[in-house]
Amino acid sequence: DGIRDPDHSLVGSEMCIRDSIGGARIVLDQTILREEQRLVTAQVSVALVDRTGKPARLPAAIRAAMT
């Protein structure tokens, strides 16, 4: 569903993302902070697959840009 913020309480907040890059997977640890208060945390895993559904390696150019 995503983050809904109808009263705009996240305005002025900071989003920190730390990532872990594997051969076919990226794990993003996300935290939204307001000053020192943690508002939201999430861990998002992204797996790369080819057209047949088998794991595919992350292209070197993308891997280099993320490190």
Side-chain angles (χ1 to χ4, degrees), residues 1-65:
D1 278 353
I3 297 174
R4 294 196 170 111
D5 188 21
D7 63 353
H8 306 289
S9 61
L10 297 180
V11 173
S13 300
E14 174 183 350
M15 183 170 185
C16 304
I17 301 176
R18 289 188 306 238
D19 55 20
S20 169
I21 302 171
R25 183 173 74 147
I26 301 170
V27 178
L28 303 169
D29 290 314
Q30 303 177 344
T31 303
I32 296 176
L33 304 169
R34 181 182 298 122
E35 297 174 8
E36 297 297 318
Q37 180 183 9
R38 183 182 311 156
L39 301 177
V40 177
T41 60
Q43 186 176 71
V44 178
S45 295
V46 179
L48 284 74
V49 295
D50 65 17
R51 292 179 185 202
T52 66
K54 294 180 182 176
R57 292 198 60 79
L58 185 65
I62 294 174
R63 185 184 195 94

